[in-house]
Amino acid sequence: MKKFINKYENLIEEMVEGYVLANSDKVKRLPTERVLAYSNAPIQGKVGVITGGGSGHKPAFIGYIGKGLLDTVAVGDIFAAPPVQRCYEAIKAADGGKGVLVCIGNYSGDTMNFGMAAELAQDEGIPVEILVVNDDVASSPKDRMDNRRGVAGEVVLWKMMGALAQEGADLATLKEVGNRTIFNTRSLGVAHTPCIMPSSGKPSFQIGDDEMEIGVGHHGEPGIQRTKLMSADEVTTLITQKILEDLPFGAGDEVSVLMSGLGSTSLLEMYICYRKLHQILTDHQITIHRNYIGEFFTSMEMGGFSITLTKLDEDLKRLIDAPCDGVHLIQH
Amino acid sequence: MKKFINKYENLIEEMVEGYVLANSDKVKRLPTERVLAYSNAPIQGKVGVITGGGSGHKPAFIGYIGKGLLDTVAVGDIFAAPPVQRCYEAIKAADGGKGVLVCIGNYSGDTMNFGMAAELAQDEGIPVEILVVNDDVASSPKDRMDNRRGVAGEVVLWKMMGALAQEGADLATLKEVGNRTIFNTRSLGVAHTPCIMPSSGKPSFQIGDDEMEIGVGHHGEPGIQRTKLMSADEVTTLITQKILEDLPFGAGDEVSVLMSGLGSTSLLEMYICYRKLHQILTDHQITIHRNYIGEFFTSMEMGGFSITLTKLDEDLKRLIDAPCDGVHLIQH
Amino acid sequence: MADTISFNRVKESFASILNRLEENRQYLNDLDSPIGDSDHGESVTAAFKKVKEAVDAYPADQNDIGSLLQSIGKAIIFSGGAAMGPLYGTAFMDAGTAICGKSVLTREDLVALMVAFARGIERRGKVKIGEKTMFDTIYPTAEALQKAFDEGKPLSDMINAGIAAAKQGMESTKDMLSLRGRSSRLGERSIGHIDPGAASSYFIMEAFLKSLVEG
Amino acid sequence: MADTISFNRVKESFASILNRLEENRQYLNDLDSPIGDSDHGESVTAAFKKVKEAVDAYPADQNDIGSLLQSIGKAIIFSGGAAMGPLYGTAFMDAGTAICGKSVLTREDLVALMVAFARGIERRGKVKIGEKTMFDTIYPTAEALQKAFDEGKPLSDMINAGIAAAKQGMESTKDMLSLRGRSSRLGERSIGHIDPGAASSYFIMEAFLKSLVEG
Ligand SMILES: Nc1ncnc2c1ncn2[C@@H]1O[C@H](COP(=O)(O)OP(=O)(O)O)[C@@H](O)[C@H]1O
Ligand SMILES: Nc1ncnc2c1ncn2[C@@H]1O[C@H](COP(=O)(O)OP(=O)(O)O)[C@@H](O)[C@H]1O
Ligand SMILES: [Mg+2]
Ligand SMILES: [Mg+2]
Ligand SMILES: [Mg+2]
Ligand SMILES: [Mg+2]
């Protein structure tokens, strides 16, 4: 296994230590040690916007801590949802008197741990709402949408909710706009190279030297279609088509695009794919209001990328355009 | 070869097209087609700050176009210096009446092509100065420092010079402060996995399954020491030690840190390494004034990373802290 | 062999569970690879290390099996994480509640413990039998204990029946279509693989039940 | 065989050069891998494609070998890129200047052309013999032509001598310590590898010189 790590047992602790040392202007560590918070959190009079999840997805989740983004994050082990205590502490530390919005991906580990933590916090009088992102169109048919995984679309929700909370909106408004964001957000990814699990040194999935798989989850969960490696244009066309059909997106729509590399796929390739995506959306008379191209939600060194489209209304345009000052996402 | 590209012949053209489509708010394309410019360039009364080089290093070079950073960039083929015409056009398009500062890495291709282009521009009355970055301590002994390669330290020079030009400094001042920046900047990298050349599908260098190499260049040029893969702490200690000795950096110094992943090495690993780097610098009573951790100068999907330290004086602190609004580097 | 189970026997079973899980750590990761995220062995061994700590920290002057199981449950819930954390944690909590105050378990108590354990999984996971989860190991185990008890079998027979049912339950997940957790996104492609949670449950059930009767 | 070289012969040599480089594209990349950045074959074939375009675009009603070489030089300089661009470009420019206005080359002209070509590399690369570059192929070629000419050898002998010297020059780089370009950072580790630029120069020299005498 070619990774620069020390003892596996200390992996998460050392990463968190390094992260806090590097970003002490924006981030602080809470007593439970695996919960990180924006230095100014809790912000009185603002709804706390938080998340949490397994590690190995950097810059997600902790890279989105900051002004106009996330207030706290509960950090799990590699690909493992954080336990209840951390989730609970993350909720408590984000509450500035107006309650807390938990924005997580649709994984039973995350929903159960945050669900139990939310109950504890609610028992103490903190209003908590949980939004569950299910943007991965590959992970269940449309009639079982509530079973779909949350993937890079989570970043879009954090951006929107961080901005809306910053505007001073209340928890009910956040929940309403958040659900609208989730409903309007669809993603699909492709991977050709697994990540290596640092615990075992083994690849997260098996795949042939000339193969790729559409719909692989960002923990290496199997996707929907295994094929020979396609060209940039072919793969972008295939992914975009499946996303467009799913909402469906149509002529006249305005969207945001988030193209996130999974780890080892280069920005060079992503821009080649973006070129095709732009052509396809233009052909469909869909306007790209804003784009994000880079690594936003990775799977360590996995090879591949995902495309996330969000259909925007006036609210969502305002929110995606709002400035933010996160550790790994800064917007003027 | 597992890359999402189309025909190799169209690789650079399609990347540039995608890039300009994605970033049309900040970037425009010049008539020579492989020269990109900040949308507002040339800025009258400001010295133009420019660069250029081979492709495959994204976000370098074109990701640093923007306010407080680069005005124009000449784009070469994969790992190949851009030809004279593009360099010439990049110089001309950046001149707002106060001349142009070319900030490039120390490679004979880049220095020759930009050198010839600068002569042509100077013949037309445009004042041009060329700064050549030679930060890679692995690439020649200290007594042959002028033979060293430029690596991720180039980013530091762009940041400093972009900020200084933005302040309104003249070309002579830029040159002076630029040379100070270069002298005070030292880098060293490590790689354990080659990138794959898109022309041939072949790895850029051969290396064993359990090996790494200290000092590999970001085009896969051989380094100085091949060893068994080290732990994060070991490799960080080794690299940092070699950098610290080289200037040398000493107690009481203030530095900026730039840790740049080469492509597939995850941010998770980089923060683990940053933790050790921070400890070592603290032990040496060296203060980290600012840090950059991420992918700043890559080599497609190469595995590994580099550390760049710059010793800062008051000028350099002000410049590194100045806001900027580049495509892939935004700072408040 | 006595037909009751002492506090110490229960307490010591957790060393044996941890051992069994650690032996199978990579096997459980590997089961989690084709239909999940390759980490189940890590999560479950890490959680049962925490369990071991909770057991070791249990006050030396107390011997309430119910409160021991509750503190184990709390440890898993609070610091286990992953999907298995809330599931196993709730199961132990509920099992502890079911036998609250007992320092010795009768055959009947063991049935109550296991039934509550299974109901805990069911409650937390909102899961039914046949959905390809750990519940498919655990529920049949509880049922087998119940049946053996109802038939008046001695403790050792009950335990053998429980282990056999756990094994069969685990193996039954191989042909199931997943409807819960990560693997539920695979549809038909989930068929043909043993569920990793069903396998870890088997190791836990087996090590636990065995320790109750072995020295 | 004539002891002069026609404009057309020179012109047609560039198809043959391109062909020879394309055959060896990957070989040149591979030579550039252990001591450089694995791209020399790409850069040099791309540049000589541009050369071919410049040759094809040369006005049909003109036949000045000097100006043909200059337009080739300009094409490489302006759109060749990499390290080899300014080097080969300057060499062709200087070679063109040396034989400016000639539509037929004598044996003496060929020597002047090659000497100027070599001096162009030397001037642009600030390079000396023995520094492990293309100059180690090119300079000996020019020298061999000069020597054969001085000895009064016929054109075909001159050309054979030039090709032999080019080959030997290329091979001589194998044992050299690099002092120029990318490989100069390797120190001792540059020894044992043929320089990729020295190899591309050999293919260029060989194809060029051969075409001048072959049909
Ligand atoms: N809703 C549920 N009910 C019961 N068991 C579940 C449920 N969701 C997941 N599981 C069990 O959890 C196991 C996976 O655990 P683990 O690998 O720790 O979590 P994760 O899937 O988050 O990585 C599955 O194999 C399955 O047995
Ligand atoms: N200063 C120089 N003088 C002469 N030849 C040089 C010089 N620098 C580089 N070269 C030649 O250029 C070759 C490399 O060319 P190329 O691969 O195109 O450039 P790059 O090194 O920029 O990738 C080397 O093998 C060497 O022969
Ligand atoms: Mg997991
Ligand atoms: Mg090159
Ligand atoms: Mg799992
Ligand atoms: Mg080269």
Side-chain angles (χ1 to χ4, degrees), chain D residues 115-126:
Chain D
V115 168
F117 191 94
R119 295 278 171 233
I121 301 284
E122 184 178 35
R123 167 168 91 86
R124 182 61 59 203
K126 301 192 179 66

Side-chain angles (χ1 to χ4, degrees), chain B residues 65-136:
Chain B
I65 291 174
K67 188 170 176 188
L69 283 166
L70 300 172
D71 293 288
T72 63
V73 171
V75 177
D77 288 344
I78 297 290
F79 294 172
V84 173
Q85 193 180 357
R86 291 180 216 165
C87 300
Y88 167 75
E89 179 107 25
I91 293 171
K92 285 205 62 164
D95 179 40
K98 291 193 63 180
V100 176
L101 183 73
V102 179
C103 303
I104 52 177
N106 192 20
Y107 299 96
S108 49
D110 297 293
T111 53
M112 284 191 289
N113 284 286
F114 267 109
M116 293 173 81
E119 281 173 29
L120 293 174
Q122 282 158 343
D123 288 350
E124 294 177 27
I126 302 176
V128 183
E129 292 286 353
I130 300 185
L131 293 180
V132 179
V133 181
N134 56 347
D135 54 321
D136 183 358

Side-chain angles (χ1 to χ4, degrees), chain A residues 108, chain C residues 32 37 39-40 82-84 87 125 133-134 180 182 195-197:
Chain A
S108 49
Chain C
D32 202 17
D37 62 348
D39 68 351
H40 188 62
M84 62 84 234
L87 293 163
T133 71
M134 51 175 66
R180 289 282 153 202
R182 246 171 246 286
D195 176 65

